[in-house]
Structures are given as C-alpha cells and as structure tokens.
Amino acid sequence: MKNFIIFGAPGAGKGTQAKLLANEFGLVHLSSGEILRQEIKNGELGETVKKYLAAGRLVPGKLIDAIMEKEIKRHKKAKGLIFDGFPRTISQAKYLDHLLKIEGRPIAAVLKIRITEEEGIKRILERAKTSGRSDDNKVTIKNRFKIYHQEMHPILDYYREQKKLIIIDGHGELNEIFQNLKEKIKKITSV
Ligand code: AMP
C-alpha cells in the first residue's frame, strides 16, 4: 500500500472521505486537526494552542511537525497512511517528504476535493449545529478560507510539479465522490 494526502477547503468533506478511504483500503487516517483537538482535550497542549484553533489560525509549524512525526513513527507498520489537514504549508510539505523518505514510503498521490466557498460555508454552518467545534462559526470560517487559499496555492503547485496532484469535484453526493476517489486510488495502487 501507499501513502496519500487529502486536501479540501473547509467543508469540502475531506475528513469524511478520508475516513471512508482509510476503511476501504486499510489505511491509517491521520487528521492533524483531530489529533490537536484530542491532545487539547487530554490537557497535553496549553491554552495558547487552544486559542490558535479557536481563531482558525495555523498552530506553529514546529509543534505540528513534531506531532506528525510522532504519529508517523507510531504507525510504522501500517499498510499506508492518509494525511488530512497536514501539510498546510510548504515547509510542512518538505518536512513530510523528509520524514517519509526516512521510512522509504513517499507520498503516492495527493487528492484534492474541490468545492466553492459558498458551498463550504453552507456545509460548515450546518455542521456547526452538532459539531461543537469552536472554529465552526461564520467569522472563523472566513478566516479559515482565507488561510486555506493563501497556503494552498504554493502547496498544490509543489505537488503538481511532482505530478502527484489529482483534483476531484466535491459538489455531488457523498457516495459519488467516494466512488470517484476510490477509483483514483485503485488506479494508483495497481501500478
Ligand atoms: P482541521 O480540522 O484540519 O480543519 O484543523 C483545525 C485547526 O487545527 C486549524 O484551523 C488549525 O488551527 C489547526 N491545524 C490543523 N492542522 C494544522 C497544520 N497542519 N498546521 C497548523 N495548524 C493546523
């Protein structure tokens, strides 16, 4: 098996799709946001980190790099990994490449789910009714979109140049998008 990254603006459904794909292909789903929220809940990270998340700002690179390094090492025996929410900057992308090089398992493909900002905002406001996430509110969503677009362009270029980028339309039904992603992964893993 191979390692993958899933990208998508807030509300694109990347977390849901990553979980489905992990289940389908026996991959370990590594969501940086979920890991951070869990560590905050367990009291492993301080108030400062909590504030970054509540504001929709990126936590310091060194912290997230260290957290993901620990997770990659912890799942050494996994069939493959699917990264969700990481990397979010070029520096993180380079660090990830470096870590996976040590493991001898580079990223096989980067899957990007594309949706419009209007659709993303609509979905997050819907999710906010039940998610309990401090960053699922209108002001923070705008900020998360702004950061996403600023940070994503260079990263997408980085993977496009490596010929690893696959773009999927995220507007259809959840299952339709899943089937589409599944086909793409099957193609990659069969070569
Ligand atoms: P997510 O669940 O991916 O939307 O992430 C929620 C929040 O966690 C983000 O708005 C950031 O505050 C923080 N976060 C998650 N992943 C990263 C990352 N790779 N680098 C910096 N901050 C992150």
Side-chain angles (χ1 to χ4, degrees):
M1 212 357 130
K2 302 187 173 180
N3 293 328
F4 298 91
I5 300 175
I6 192 157
F7 282 136
K14 70 178 165 60
T16 309
Q17 295 292 348
K19 282 194 186 86
L20 291 171
L21 292 169
N23 201 25
E24 176 77 22
F25 293 102
L27 304 169
V28 172
H29 173 212
L30 291 180
S31 156
S32 51
E34 270 177 23
I35 295 166
L36 284 168
R37 284 188 288 277
Q38 196 54 46
E39 295 204 352
I40 288 172
K41 214 166 124 194
N42 297 345
E44 289 163 49
L45 295 169
E47 283 300 309
T48 334
V49 178
K50 212 165 153 178
K51 281 187 194 144
Y52 278 105
L53 266 84
R57 290 175 51 210
L58 296 187
V59 306
K62 280 220 169 80
L63 172 73
I64 196 78
D65 283 352
I67 290 176
M68 296 312 282
E69 179 168 0
K70 194 177 72 189
E71 291 294 323
I72 291 169
K73 291 196 170 140
R74 197 153 75 90
H75 295 289
K76 256 195 168 119
K77 297 217 170 86
K79 262 172 85 183
L81 308 170
I82 182 159
F83 294 93
D84 163 9
F86 179 87
R88 262 179 161 92
T89 63
I90 284 283
S91 147
Q92 290 178 11
K94 290 191 172 157
Y95 194 63
L96 179 62
D97 276 352
H98 158 76
L99 291 174
L100 295 180
K101 206 169 172 186
I102 297 172
E103 304 285 325
R105 288 201 302 189
I107 291 295
V110 175
L111 307 155
K112 180 183 185 273
I113 309 177
R114 181 157 49 197
I115 54 156
T116 59
E117 186 161 334
E118 295 94 290
E119 180 66 17
I121 292 175
K122 206 175 92 192
R123 290 190 192 169
I124 292 182
L125 291 176
E126 194 52 40
R127 175 173 87 186
K129 293 180 188 162
T130 52
S131 75
R133 275 178 57 165
S134 60
D135 56 353
D136 280 350
N137 62 74
K138 222 169 192 167
V139 178
T140 310
I141 295 167
K142 281 269 173 204
N143 200 27
R144 284 159 66 198
F145 264 100
K146 206 175 106 204
I147 295 175
Y148 177 79
H149 290 303
Q150 274 168 2
E151 300 285 358
M152 268 347 261
H153 280 295
I155 303 188
L156 292 176
D157 286 345
Y158 180 77
Y159 290 113
R160 197 177 280 120
E161 276 163 24
Q162 295 182 22
K163 309 233 178 312
K164 290 183 177 170
L165 186 65
I166 297 171
I167 296 177
I168 304 261
D169 181 24
H171 288 97
E173 284 295 315
L174 193 144
N175 193 45
E176 201 183 314
I177 300 161
F178 175 54
Q179 296 305 327
N180 204 348
L181 285 163
K182 216 164 86 176
E183 286 311 308
K184 298 281 192 295
I185 292 195
K186 273 192 186 151
K187 255 189 212 158
I188 293 158
T189 49
S190 67
V191 289

